[in-house]
Amino acid sequence: MNMDQLKRQAAARALDEVRDGMQLGLGTGSTAKHFVELLGERVAAGLNVIGVPTSEATRADAERCGVPLTTLDEIDHLDITVDGADEIDPQLNLIKGGGGALLREKIVAAASDRMIVIADDTKWVPTLGRFPLPVEVIPFGLGATRRAIEKAFVECGVSGQMAVRKAKDGHVFVTDGGHWIVDAQLGRIADPASLAKALSAIPGVVEHGLFIGLASSAVLAGGEGIRVIERR
Ligand SMILES: O=C[C@H](O)[C@H](O)[C@H](O)COP(=O)(O)O
């Protein structure tokens, strides 16, 4: 089974948790896209749900698949958010934002009763940090923000190169919110909760890709089948 088939399997398993009448957060990325497509098939067959997309890309996918959409201004909570991740550790802390959608993803996950993470099992790691940590920043005063981020890294015992993310066309990547992303190659983040707190305290940082205590469960698809891990 190839990687894409594993992603679809994980998405299909998460779909088992969806009930009629639910309000759903719809994640972003190649794995979440499978979930949106499978959800669309169920909607076409009569399932009544409504979704909040975590990016303009997911909005377009959901519209194409016929999934009805709303916003967090029109409803007061979500039952489940189903989203992918770039890394998942055994405490179900995550690195997200490889696709640049971390800000909306975190807002939507935090407004949800449960967050189910779906992934192929290569995303499962003993310690976060091999995947570059995305930090969403305001372009204004970026030099000062970068220095403050470096200081936070030192205080949290991590270090590594930082680079402003570029889009495929070579221009600076701009998020749906109009911000930039700095990717930090940290290698190993021993204390992700402390680093998350330190980054959140920096004025020019809009959000970062550490999702601490947000995921309720992870559905990991691998060569030997599906593993569901619940947060203790
Ligand atoms: O910004 C993007 C998101 O955090 C994605 O959920 C994450 O990058 C995983 O994406 P994929 O399922 O494509 O690996």
Side-chain angles (χ1 to χ4, degrees):
M1 201 172 287
N2 67 30
M3 201 71 100
D4 208 49
Q5 288 166 323
L6 293 177
K7 291 176 182 185
R8 198 161 183 96
Q9 270 200 344
R13 173 66 185 76
L15 194 60
D16 292 346
E17 302 296 316
V18 173
R19 303 279 174 268
D20 206 60
M22 277 189 169
Q23 305 182 144
L24 302 170
L26 305 175
T28 294
S30 56
T31 320
K33 186 173 180 169
H34 283 295
F35 179 79
V36 170
E37 286 172 3
L38 293 168
L39 184 65
E41 289 173 13
R42 293 279 302 279
V43 167
L47 181 75
N48 169 38
V49 290
I50 196 154
V52 173
T54 54
S55 62
E56 293 308 314
T58 297
R59 176 192 306 285
D61 287 337
E63 283 171 357
R64 179 176 51 80
C65 296
V67 178
L69 296 178
T70 184
T71 69
L72 289 173
D73 302 312
E74 288 157 73
I75 58 171
D76 63 359
H77 86 289
L78 293 164
D79 297 294
I80 304 178
T81 283
V82 178
D83 202 349
D86 300 301
E87 280 187 350
I88 309 161
D89 80 5
Q91 285 72 47
L92 301 193
N93 294 322
L94 316 171
I95 287 184
K96 286 184 54 54
L102 62 147
L103 174 59
R104 292 188 188 183
E105 288 177 335
K106 201 177 277 189
I107 292 170
V108 168
S112 304
D113 297 343
R114 290 166 65 201
M115 178 192 192
I116 302 177
V117 182
I118 53 175
D120 65 81
D121 66 0
T122 63
K123 306 288 184 69
W124 181 255
V125 296
T127 310
L128 299 179
R130 193 183 50 196
F131 190 91
L133 177 66
V135 182
E136 185 160 348
V137 295
I138 299 279
F140 175 84
L142 185 55
T145 304
R146 284 180 75 137
R147 287 189 288 278
I149 293 173
E150 265 160 26
K151 191 161 170 266
F153 286 168
V154 171
E155 283 164 7
C156 295
V158 293
S159 63
Q161 294 292 313
M162 283 193 268
V164 174
R165 190 180 295 184
K166 297 275 172 60
K168 281 194 190 111
D169 62 6
H171 290 103
V172 174
F173 176 89
V174 180
T175 67
D176 284 345
H179 311 124
W180 292 1
I181 288 183
V182 172
D183 290 303
Q185 310 264 358
L186 300 176
R188 186 173 186 279
I189 304 171
D191 185 353
S194 297
L195 181 58
K197 210 170 158 192
L199 290 172
S200 295
I202 298 170
V205 170
V206 182
E207 195 46 86
H208 55 77
L210 288 167
F211 281 47
I212 310 295
L214 282 169
S216 336
S217 59
V219 179
L220 299 174
E224 278 154 31
I226 290 196
R227 212 156 46 108
V228 180
I229 297 128
E230 302 287 339
R231 186 153 62 93
R232 275 174 258 135

